[in-house]
Structure formats: C-alpha cells, structure tokens
Amino acid sequence: MPQLILYIAMSLDGYIAAPDDDLSFLEAVHQEGQDYGYTDFISQVDTVIMGRKTYDWVMAQVPQFPHFNKVSYIVTRHPRPSIGNTHFYTGDIEELVTRLKSQHNSKHIFVDGGAEIVNLLLAKGLIDELYISVIPVLLGAGVHLFEPERYKNQLLRLLGAQAYDKGLVQLRYTIQKQKA
C-alpha cells in the first residue's frame, strides 16, 4: 500500500524558507555529488502532492516542472487545466489521499510542500512518514514547517537518523496513529 511521505529540509529552528521565500540557506550543505538520499527516495515515488504557492515558486525558478514524469496534484483553490501529468486539484485533500493510497499497485506519494499543505495533511492524520533534513543554520524568521496550533500531541517514532559531513542531519520518522 502506498505511503504518504514528506521529504523536506528545514533550518535547525524549524523554517523551510527564510523571509521572502529565500532558500539560499540550503547552500550551506551543498556538496558536489551529494543528494542526501533524494535519488533513492524519489525512485520509490510515482505521485506528488504540492501546494499551489510552492508550485508557482518552483516554476518561477526552473523552465520545466521537476516532477513532470510523475502524476502530480497541485492543491489549489482556483481550477486550471492539467499540464501533462500535472493536475490542479480543487477537491477535498483527504478524499484525494485516500483514493491514492487505495491504489495498491502504486509506489509512494511524495508531499513536496509547502507548509500549508503539510500542516493540513498532518492535522488530518494523513502523513505516514517524514524525512526531515535539518540544515545547521538558525534563520530566526521565515516560513515555519510546523504550525502547532493545527494539531496536538502528534507522536512520532524514529526510524533512522543519518549525519553528513556538511552538518546536515536527516531524520526519518513514522507517525504513530492515535487510538480512537
């Protein structure tokens, strides 16, 4: 059964972007030939969920959508026509994730940001695993990954941790489902 997996980088103080959506802090851990496991991770994914603001930001940076070869759902409030495998989804996100997870012959589903989508999915208990790459920098302001007012007492179980030469630490957690 496909899992919904968050794979994301954040500063040590919990920001996924500095003010003005500045991601230059990621350069602190750039190392030629090192992708911190991303290639292995993305090979296990055939579906991507992303927020519209993140999609628009990405498309302003690159000439082609990086996930053009995967089925992608851009969660938005404003309908747009699909572009190849990229669909602009205006429906209920819980319904979408439930449908995608029921496709047993599928690979995993990658949540590729942004914070609003991540927190909505966490609040609904839909994320199964988190890969969080902690960048050794304190930003002090920007876009927080976690909005604690959206959920309470979310228990996690550590599946693994990997430290790298440049100081990045990648943490892998599974969400412990709350008993009803």
Side-chain angles (χ1 to χ4, degrees), residues 44 83 100 113 126 131 148 171 174:
Q44 299 173 42
I83 301 169
L100 293 173
L126 297 171
Y131 285 76
L171 304 169
T174 186

Side-chain angles (χ1 to χ4, degrees), residues 2-179:
Q3 300 286 300
L4 183 63
I5 304 172
L6 172 65
Y7 187 103
I8 200 162
M10 72 176 191
S11 65
L12 183 59
D13 54 348
Y15 294 97
I16 58 172
D20 299 321
D21 295 325
D22 179 6
L23 298 179
S24 62
F25 75 98
L26 297 173
E27 291 300 315
V29 295
H30 177 75
Q31 185 176 358
E32 192 66 35
Q34 177 59 269
D35 74 352
Y36 300 105
Y38 181 78
T39 300
D40 289 338
F41 167 76
I42 203 69
S43 72
Q44 299 173 42
V45 168
D46 63 4
T47 307
V48 176
I49 295 175
M50 176 185 288
R52 194 261 322 146
K53 287 188 243 177
T54 301
Y55 173 82
D56 288 346
W57 185 91
V58 167
M59 293 311 296
Q61 311 306 310
V62 297
Q64 182 179 36
F65 184 54
H67 304 301
F68 71 92
N69 60 338
K70 311 232 180 251
V71 176
S72 298
Y73 294 92
I74 311 307
V75 180
T76 181
R77 291 178 185 91
H78 307 288
R80 289 191 207 175
S82 295
I83 301 169
N85 290 330
T86 304
H87 309 287
F88 297 88
Y89 185 79
T90 59
D92 180 84
I93 196 163
E94 190 167 4
E95 182 180 301
L96 172 64
V97 170
T98 300
R99 180 171 46 87
L100 293 173
K101 283 184 174 184
S102 73
Q103 297 173 355
H104 298 285
N105 59 343
S106 296
K107 293 182 177 181
H108 295 304
I109 307 156
F110 172 23
V111 180
D112 191 14
E116 186 176 339
I117 294 301
V118 168
N119 283 278
L120 177 62
L121 292 168
L122 277 171
K124 292 184 174 288
L126 297 171
I127 294 179
D128 299 298
E129 285 188 29
L130 300 92
Y131 285 76
I132 300 175
S133 295
V134 180
I135 310 301
V137 63
L138 299 170
L139 294 179
V143 179
H144 257 291
L145 174 55
F146 300 113
E147 300 169 1
E149 65 275 3
R150 299 282 295 265
Y151 45 86
K152 293 186 178 13
N153 293 325
Q154 189 72 261
L155 296 175
L156 308 174
R157 184 171 52 89
L158 183 66
L159 297 175
Q162 174 75 44
Y164 293 88
D165 293 340
K166 288 279 198 163
L168 179 145
V169 176
Q170 188 171 77
L171 304 169
R172 183 175 171 213
Y173 292 98
T174 186
I175 301 282
Q176 292 187 354
K177 304 298 181 186
Q178 302 292 331
K179 294 183 181 174

